[in-house]
Every structure is written in C-alpha cells, then in structure tokens.
Amino acid sequence: MMPALKPITIVGGGLAGLTLGIGLRQRGIPVTVWEAGHYPRHRVCGEFISGRGEDVLERLGLLDSFFQAGAVLGMTAAFYLGRFGSPVRTLGTPALCLSRFAMDALLAERLRQAGGELREDARWREGDYGEGVVRANGRRLQPRENGSQWFGLKVHAHNVLLTADLEMHGSQTGYVGFCRLGGGAVNVCGLFRRTAGKPDSAQTWRDLLRGQPGTPLWECLAGAVFEQGSFCSVAGFSLKPHRAASRSECCVGDALTMIPPVTGNGMSMAFEAAEMAIRPLAAYSQGECSWSEARRNVAEACDRAFARRLAWARCLQWMMFTPLLRAMPGSAVLHSDLLWRLMYARTR
Ligand SMILES: Cc1cc2nc3c(=O)[nH]c(=O)nc-3n(C[C@H](O)[C@H](O)[C@H](O)COP(=O)(O)OP(=O)(O)OC[C@H]3O[C@@H](n4cnc5c(N)ncnc54)[C@H](O)[C@@H]3O)c2cc1C
C-alpha cells in the first residue's frame, strides 16, 4: 500500500501561495491555503507581469485564463525623470497586464477547481511556520529603513494621456508608474519615501500621484478620472534583498524577499518561486525527503535564481532616487539604449 501523502499548508493566498497550491494540486498533493482577506479585492501593484513569470504561467496551464479574464499585452515603455523623458521603446517580450482584482480571484478559483482547500478571511495566527507549512504571506512589515518609510498607492483611472503602454515617472519623493489595462483603464501606482521625523504634509493621494505641475507626470493625469473604489495603499515594508538560505521558514514570494517595484518583476518572482517549490514540496509530501531537505532545496533554487537580479534591481532603485542623475538635463541615462537594455535584461 502507498504511504499517505503528507498535507501542505500554505499561509497567504496571494500570487505565490495560490500558484504553489495549484502546482501541488496538479501533482495530487493535499493543500490548504489560509488567506486573511477575500476575493476579489484590489491590491497595491503596478499590475504588469514581465519576465520569466509569464513562462511559469504557461507551463502551469494558467496563461489562457489570464487572457480570458481580460489580460492585455504591454508592448512599449518609456521612462521619465522629472521633466525629461526617454524615447518610447519596444519591449523585447511584451508584458502581461491584468488587474489584481481579477488575477487573484482567478487563481483562487483555479485552486478550488483543482481540489485545493482555500480558507478565506482566515488569518494564520500561529507564530510558528513548522513542518509542512509554507510562508507565502507577502511583504514583511518594517516600519523604518535607513530613517525613512516606504509607502505605495494604487488606483485605476480613465482618460490618462500616455505615450507608451508602460510608463515610469521618477520624482524626488518617489516614482509613479502607469500601465494600460483593458477597457481603457490605466493602473496608476506610486512608491514614495517619507522621511522619519518630518511632519506629514497635507498632500492627498491625488496630489502625490500627480506630482509637480509642468512635468510630464502632471500632464498625463491632467484630465484623469479616478475609480475611487479601486484606491488602496500599503506602508512600512523593506526593499532590502534577503537570501532564502537566511530564513528559518520555507518562504515564497514577497515573504522571502521583495524586489524594488520599479523593476516590475515582483509578481514574476512570486510565480517563479512557487514553481521552484513544487517539486521539493511534493517530494516531502510523498515521503521522499525530510522537511528540512525540502526547505533547503527550495531556498537554494530561489537564491540561485534571484541573487543577481536583486543586486541589479537595487542599483536601478538607487538610480531612480539619486539627485545626481536628475541633475543631468535630457539625461544621457534616459537616452542610452545600452543602459536600458542592460537594466531591463538584468532585472528579470
Ligand atoms: C507599489 C508597488 C508596485 C508594484 N508593482 C508591481 C508590478 O507592476 N509588477 C510586478 O511584477 N510586481 C509589482 N509589485 C510587487 C508585487 O505586488 C508583489 O511582488 C507580489 O504581490 C508578491 O506576491 P505574494 O503572493 O508574495 O504576496 P501578496 O500578493 O501580497 O499575497 C500575500 C497574501 O498573504 C495574505 N496574508 C498575510 N498575512 C496572512 C496571515 N497571517 N494569514 C493568512 N493570510 C495572510 C495577504 O492577505 C495576501 O493576500 C509591486 C509592489 C508594490 C509595493
């Protein structure tokens, strides 16, 4: 008689947790996902997937359902620093653009169809992520980093004037990205830095996203109509890279490490990490290896895949914030094809 399969518990039903759950169910492994929230709901995210994550979705048989849910392809991109912009560039591989409202809900549905147990509005309260438990509960709270705090804002809007499908606008306090979604809607998503000890200004989220009058960012949003109900925000997370081997738990997605959002690669990393975890966790469930071996195999695979990417992403994040580059009018940085290609390739 075959020995019983050991169950896997996944804490967090975001992209990493749901994708892992689906992948394990495809191998017949018993899976329970705990999700503190419910579906559908809006999430702070630029909502474009670029990089190897698209291939993961295809391999797991999920890509078609993304298109059925309304995903569109982003073909072009442009970068702005203050008043200066880059040429519009064609992406080597198109990005996949879909709202998280639709994306998370479709993955939740697919997990259930595959026979996974999904507990909504169920927060995991045990401090311990022991044997058989995977931590996929997203970004870890970190109130301050180097004396400042990161916060992110997201809203959908119509009537946004864009020159490219994806745009990134850097300013002194952060950056705002645009991504064309289906049906004329545009994702407007910003990452900002607040310095500790400085009193909060009375700026509203609209002021923050619009930026300074006279800049291309301001002009993009001059006639924008925001969908109030889609607004959401997050604060207090860390953008410092972490190695999986340094974590005592089995982690995937942002729970493992965050990549700076300017790369637009966080979702891809969540899908990739989930896929890399399927085989070792299935082996554990089938009694072919111990939990600590499975955990170590997941961590080693993630570190091999992400270490270099995280280092380049840190460099790109620095470039977005350094006054040095903003001081170069018509910046060579924005016009350098070589730099664009290098940064794009190395951060995914
Ligand atoms: C401003 C900003 C813009 C971004 N833009 C992009 C982009 O354009 N492209 C891109 O690829 N990436 C982007 N990202 C990154 C991307 O959003 C994340 O990398 C991705 O969501 C990570 O997926 P995840 O499953 O690890 O975490 P999440 O999607 O955050 O899911 C974690 C889940 O765990 C649940 N949870 C938490 N604690 C518990 C608990 N105790 N019990 C049960 N459930 C729990 C949460 O409710 C949540 O649903 C952006 C990030 C930010 C901050």
Side-chain angles (χ1 to χ4, degrees):
M1 212 170 78
M2 290 263 292
L5 297 169
K6 292 181 204 138
I8 302 287
T9 300
I10 301 170
V11 179
L15 304 181
L18 292 170
T19 308
L20 173 59
I22 292 167
L24 288 170
R25 282 306 305 148
Q26 289 174 349
R27 291 175 175 237
I29 310 299
V31 169
T32 303
V33 176
W34 289 62
E35 169 49 47
H38 54 267
Y39 311 93
R41 64 174 171 157
H42 288 283
R43 312 294 310 263
V44 174
C45 186
E47 301 181 330
F48 71 93
I49 300 164
S50 79
R52 298 159 201 241
E54 289 181 59
D55 301 333
V56 174
L57 295 175
E58 184 150 35
R59 283 194 289 274
L60 293 178
L62 297 168
L63 194 56
D64 283 350
S65 27
F66 274 57
F67 286 112
Q68 280 155 19
V72 294
L73 294 177
M75 315 290 265
T76 53
F79 256 83
Y80 294 83
L81 281 177
R83 288 166 203 272
F84 304 105
S86 74
V88 173
R89 293 188 165 98
T90 304
L91 297 173
T93 311
L96 190 64
C97 312
L98 180 66
S99 80
R100 291 290 300 269
F101 192 80
M103 196 186 304
D104 292 44
L106 91 80
L107 291 173
E109 181 58 25
R110 290 292 298 260
L111 176 72
R112 285 197 165 115
Q113 283 168 358
E117 186 187 351
L118 177 55
R119 299 189 183 167
E120 288 182 58
D121 296 313
R123 179 170 289 278
W124 180 264
R125 296 197 185 276
E126 290 173 42
D128 187 24
Y129 295 83
E131 179 165 339
V133 183
V134 181
R135 186 165 180 166
N137 61 347
R139 50 189 84 102
R140 297 179 190 229
L141 283 183
Q142 168 129 358
R144 302 252 176 270
E145 194 170 273
N146 300 331
S148 57
Q149 187 188 43
W150 296 109
F151 63 101
L153 309 173
K154 193 290 290 285
V155 69
H156 289 170
H158 288 258
N159 260 353
V160 182
L161 293 176
L162 298 181
T163 51
D165 297 336
L166 305 170
E167 289 189 14
M168 189 64 75
H169 295 250
S171 71
Q172 268 149 16
T173 50
Y175 44 80
V176 175
F178 296 111
C179 168
R180 277 198 183 115
L181 302 170
V186 172
N187 167 299
V188 185
C189 185
L191 180 81
F192 303 94
R193 195 165 49 177
R194 190 187 287 139
T195 310
K198 264 196 170 179
D200 272 356
S201 71
Q203 275 185 314
T204 64
W205 59 262
R206 282 188 184 74
D207 297 334
L208 274 166
L209 291 172
R210 283 203 161 102
Q212 295 293 313
T215 58
L217 173 59
W218 178 274
E219 278 149 30
C220 285
L221 290 173
V225 180
F226 294 107
E227 278 177 31
Q228 291 276 357
S230 66
F231 175 76
C232 44
S233 61
V234 284
F237 44 85
S238 166
L239 294 178
K240 269 205 188 117
H242 289 272
R243 289 182 70 78
S246 69
R247 304 274 192 210
S248 56
E249 314 113 340
C250 181
C251 304
V252 287
D254 281 1
L256 165 59
T257 187
M258 270 190 86
I259 189 165
V262 64
T263 58
N265 197 246
M267 290 193 281
S268 180
M269 281 177 56
F271 296 133
E272 291 173 64
E275 188 188 41
M276 287 186 281
I278 295 168
R279 193 196 293 252
L281 296 181
Y284 157 77
S285 172
Q286 289 154 350
E288 291 166 11
C289 69
S290 67
W291 178 248
S292 62
E293 276 175 281
R295 192 174 54 75
R296 198 177 53 243
N297 289 342
V298 176
E300 283 174 2
C302 289
D303 283 342
R304 262 197 311 276
F306 301 145
R308 194 183 66 168
R309 201 183 306 182
L310 287 164
W312 281 94
R314 207 162 159 75
C315 173
L316 182 60
Q317 168 85 354
W318 173 83
M319 287 169 75
M320 292 299 288
F321 280 93
T322 179
L324 216 75
L325 297 187
R326 237 184 308 281
M328 295 184 206
S331 180
V333 172
L334 290 167
H335 285 268
S336 164
D337 230 36
L338 188 73
L339 190 66
W340 154 261
R341 267 184 234 283
L342 183 76
M343 282 299 174
Y344 193 77
R346 295 285 195 250
T347 53
R348 54 212 70 235

